Amino acid sequence: MAKRLPKLPPLLQSKIYKTGQTRSANDDVIFQNRANRNGTVLIPFESIDLFDISILTSKFESGFIVVISPDDYYTNPDVLIVMKAKKLKLGVNAILHYETRAQWNKFNPYKNKLSVAEKRTAPIDGHFVARILSSSSKDEEKIILGFNTSNCKGAGIRVAEYAPLFTIKSCHLQLEYLF
């Protein structure tokens, strides 16, 4: 019978476990905080040419969501051409991300009959998220819509933070070995 290795001290085990998670997100951003690195990936639309959409679903274990600025979506005719070519569709694998009050006022999603996104896997069943800070005016309170409930905080993780589960587990083993 093989000898069993001793368990790591709880604090060290906790630190090693956390290496498989992302950090530094709060309610004012659409990114998840302390989410697994193999979670849903948020890809900025301006970076979409760097990706082959046909393999993204298999590349990212939990899928992906392309995040588009309302300014680009409503004013740049090339956006719709690129979306069609890349098989992107609002409410399926892409969302609008409202970050400024000017975007909200100019391209109000409710006037355009859009719904709030709350689901991280395709089809995401929503068209937009909003993370707009309050201003000094009492009429302009903070707008936080989509992926803001306690069981669904944040739409996903930054693409640069992604790692497949195999890589995460390999890193954990390497850190345990070094200890």
Side-chain angles (χ1 to χ4, degrees):
M1 192 161 110
K3 185 177 178 185
R4 190 173 206 163
L5 294 174
K7 284 190 168 199
L8 293 173
L11 180 61
L12 181 61
Q13 184 61 46
S14 172
K15 295 295 183 188
I16 289 174
Y17 173 76
K18 287 179 182 180
T19 64
Q21 296 184 320
T22 63
R23 297 194 46 158
S24 73
N26 60 36
D27 290 344
D28 295 338
V29 296
I30 65 170
F31 304 107
Q32 288 178 274
N33 188 24
R34 286 282 179 217
N36 289 335
R37 291 185 182 276
N38 66 330
T40 303
V41 173
L42 301 180
I43 301 172
F45 182 77
E46 26 322 324
S47 302
I48 202 63
D49 287 335
L50 301 174
F51 298 94
D52 179 352
I53 293 293
S54 65
I55 65 164
L56 280 186
T57 304
S58 60
K59 181 176 174 74
F60 299 125
E61 295 168 343
S62 299
F64 68 95
I65 299 172
V66 175
V67 180
I68 307 168
S69 156
D71 296 309
D72 288 340
Y73 184 77
Y74 288 108
T75 64
N76 183 348
D78 293 338
V79 167
L80 295 178
I81 294 166
V82 171
M83 286 181 71
K84 186 173 183 177
K86 296 280 189 176
K87 295 183 171 86
L88 299 174
K89 187 172 182 185
L90 282 185
V92 176
N93 54 7
I95 55 174
L96 297 179
H97 179 210
Y98 289 82
E99 295 182 90
T100 68
R101 185 119 0 229
Q103 290 172 335
W104 185 263
N105 293 337
K106 188 173 182 181
F107 310 111
N108 188 291
Y110 294 125
K111 289 180 184 170
N112 291 310
K113 298 186 179 2
L114 300 180
S115 60
V116 176
E118 296 285 357
K119 194 173 154 203
R120 292 188 189 108
T121 55
I124 54 180
D125 296 337
H127 306 98
F128 77 94
V129 296
R131 294 295 188 274
I132 302 168
L133 302 177
S134 59
S135 72
S136 56
S137 170
K138 67 176 182 167
D139 296 331
E140 294 184 347
E141 293 184 10
K142 175 172 24 177
I143 300 172
I144 307 290
L145 296 169
F147 303 103
N148 61 346
T149 60
S150 59
N151 63 345
C152 190
K153 285 248 188 210
I157 63 171
R158 293 169 181 90
V159 69
E161 295 176 320
Y162 178 80
L165 188 57
F166 177 78
T167 301
I168 295 167
K169 288 185 176 191
S170 297
C171 289
H172 287 175
L173 287 173
Q174 186 177 20
L175 290 169
E176 286 179 25
Y177 173 79
L178 290 172
F179 173 75

